[in-house]
Amino acid sequence: MHRLVLGGCLGLAIALPAVASDAPPAAVQLARDALIVDTHIDAPGQLMKKWADLGKAAPDREFDYPRARAGGLDVAFMSIYTSPRQDDDGSAWQVANTMIDAVQALAARHPDKFAILTSPGDVDRLREGGRVLLPMGMENGAPIGDDLANLRFFFDRGVRYITLAHSGNNRISDSSYALEKKWNGLSPFGREVVAEMNRLGIMVDVSHLSDPAVRQAVELSTVPVIASHSALRHFTPGFERNLSDELLEAIAARGGVVQIPFGNAFVNPVAAADVQAYFRAEAEFNKRNAARKAAGQPLLDEKKFDDDWDAAHPSPPTRIDAVLDQVDHAVKLVGVDHVGIGSDFDGVSGNLPDSLRTVADFPNFVAGLQARGYAEADIRKILGGNLLRVWAAIEAGAEPR
């Protein structure tokens, strides 16, 4: 069911304007001058649904080259997302490799516009000429299967962070979305995965994990961890997908960084409550279908269930202030050095704040930070400096190759 992939791909975005025309000139200039790193964009999944040439204007997407440059985006982590269902049916390996191929093909088709990024030390060199850099993060460790050697395989293919689980428990970790947990945190194999990721220099991403799994990953990792796209539970009580203050502090205490997403379901408490209610309803739906299958009866229509749910629970209007409030709270709690951005563009079906609709809109985010009194140096940290610092520390902690 599609809502299981919140933070993955929820379908094609609606056509949107290309430029954030309402941003003040000072914000536009800083967005263009600063190094902007967005750690979570679901463009590869959208390419699997419907191909588009992202080197040109693609009005039905939230990421393309013209809007990235208009918004000042320099480093766009491409999400290599696989679902729990693909894990169950054995297709996750194939899907992940196909998505990686798509990202590499995009860069090869437009070498003047894109380049694959595999090390923070290459940013300045590769972005010369206005290129948008495309590092890759794997959302859900399902493609690893049961073989630690696959971590090296995907590292060699360019993957630089792995979100250990997604919307279901897997071989590695419990998921925040799962109503019933399997491992009480990380599995024994998951502990080996964390150690091998540290050895290779792959960032451990704790977004989507259950609270015990986040805590264990932070404690086990010998280098800082990241949350590639996680908002804060302070604003969405009971929503385990978002990080508690305690976990935010734990990540920061070990030198990590939390990347704030823009999607309404993460930053709007009404939308977050709807997501929680969906998972409860979805669990009951699956139980009914399991009983019908056992009785030899026709199964209920999953698409109709999702469509009916969406019709009854439209995403509430959300202002950019909801995202800025998240940043303020994180900065107040753990300091400006541990906060960044992981938008989830192309992953939440256009359910985004009014003035953060595409990658062209980063100047609006900058303007919001300026209006709240953030110094330019701190804005630059939030926009990308913090993530690159942490990535460099993780790379430095890897074993020499």
Side-chain angles (χ1 to χ4, degrees):
M1 294 185 176
H2 70 270
R3 280 190 181 268
L4 282 176
V5 298
L6 265 170
C9 298
L10 289 179
L12 295 172
I14 58 174
L16 296 164
V19 180
S21 58
D22 55 342
V28 174
Q29 189 62 49
L30 181 51
R32 290 176 178 171
D33 290 346
L35 184 67
I36 299 182
V37 180
D38 186 335
T39 48
H40 199 86
I41 295 178
D42 276 294
Q46 299 294 8
L47 289 174
M48 297 301 99
K49 294 174 181 291
K50 181 182 177 183
W51 186 85
D53 185 351
L54 300 182
K56 303 175 182 178
D60 64 341
R61 311 299 163 95
E62 292 157 5
F63 169 83
D64 60 32
Y65 180 80
R67 281 179 290 184
R69 296 317 303 148
L73 177 61
D74 299 285
V75 180
F77 274 80
M78 297 286 99
S79 175
I80 307 303
Y81 166 75
T82 57
S83 69
R85 179 166 294 179
Q86 289 162 341
D87 192 8
D88 291 341
D89 67 20
S91 64
W93 167 272
Q94 174 69 24
V95 171
N97 279 289
T98 302
M99 286 189 181
I100 293 170
D101 286 348
V103 176
Q104 292 177 336
L106 178 62
R109 189 177 297 113
H110 297 287
D112 57 328
K113 296 177 179 178
F114 297 111
I116 302 296
L117 179 68
T118 59
S119 171
D122 293 334
V123 169
D124 289 340
R125 175 177 61 85
L126 290 177
R127 72 186 182 112
E128 288 182 2
R131 292 185 188 90
V132 175
L133 307 186
L134 305 178
M136 288 179 278
M138 178 178 285
E139 187 177 22
N140 191 358
I144 297 165
D146 300 304
D147 190 352
L148 283 178
N150 285 331
L151 288 167
R152 180 55 189 260
F153 171 85
F154 283 114
F155 178 88
D156 289 344
R157 295 224 64 196
V159 170
R160 288 301 180 268
Y161 77 68
I162 297 177
T163 318
L164 300 182
H166 191 253
S167 55
N169 306 324
N170 63 11
R171 299 170 183 85
I172 299 169
S173 175
D174 287 335
S175 166
S176 61
Y177 283 137
L179 299 182
E180 296 180 5
K181 313 302 186 188
K182 183 176 182 180
W183 305 108
N184 192 30
L186 299 178
S187 70
F189 179 64
R191 293 169 179 266
E192 295 182 57
V193 167
V194 169
E196 182 66 1
M197 289 172 67
N198 288 169
R199 189 184 74 82
L200 292 169
I202 302 173
M203 291 179 275
V204 175
D205 177 19
V206 299
S207 290
H208 282 288
L209 305 191
S210 68
D211 284 3
V214 174
R215 195 172 298 111
Q216 291 164 23
V218 172
E219 292 171 353
L220 286 168
S221 181
T222 58
V223 291
V225 307
I226 70 166
S228 67
H229 58 308
S230 288
L232 308 178
R233 205 176 306 164
H234 173 82
F235 299 95
T236 56
F239 189 33
E240 192 177 8
R241 170 64 178 84
N242 282 346
L243 293 169
S244 68
D245 284 359
E246 175 193 357
L247 292 175
L248 173 62
E249 291 174 320
I251 293 168
R254 298 294 295 272
V257 62
V258 173
Q259 306 287 103
I260 302 297
F262 299 163
N264 296 350
F266 305 114
V267 303
N268 185 310
V270 174
D274 281 346
V275 172
Q276 295 175 82
Y278 172 85
F279 275 92
R280 292 190 293 269
E282 185 263 350
E284 289 302 315
F285 178 89
N286 284 342
K287 287 181 181 179
R288 292 198 301 273
N289 256 352
R292 294 174 72 89
K293 183 176 181 180
Q297 299 174 346
L299 298 183
L300 301 173
D301 189 319
E302 293 183 3
K303 185 178 185 304
K304 184 178 186 304
F305 174 84
D306 282 334
D307 290 345
D308 289 349
W309 180 274
D310 287 344
H313 302 85
S315 186
T318 304
R319 294 172 55 85
I320 191 174
D321 301 88
V323 177
L324 297 169
D325 289 347
Q326 300 267 341
V327 174
D328 283 349
H329 182 75
V331 169
K332 180 179 179 181
L333 193 65
V334 299
V336 73
D337 291 332
H338 303 284
V339 185
I341 49 177
S343 66
D344 214 351
F345 282 135
D346 282 320
V348 289
S349 287
N351 295 321
L352 292 151
D354 290 341
S355 52
L356 287 177
R357 305 290 289 168
T358 81
V359 293
D361 292 335
F362 284 113
N364 291 335
F365 179 72
V366 172
L369 294 176
Q370 290 173 326
R372 294 189 178 207
Y374 284 85
E376 179 178 325
D378 288 341
I379 293 174
R380 288 175 180 269
K381 289 180 179 182
I382 293 167
L383 291 178
N386 290 335
L387 187 281
L388 291 182
R389 183 196 74 246
V390 171
W391 186 5
I394 293 166
E395 184 179 79
E399 288 187 4
R401 284 180 291 276

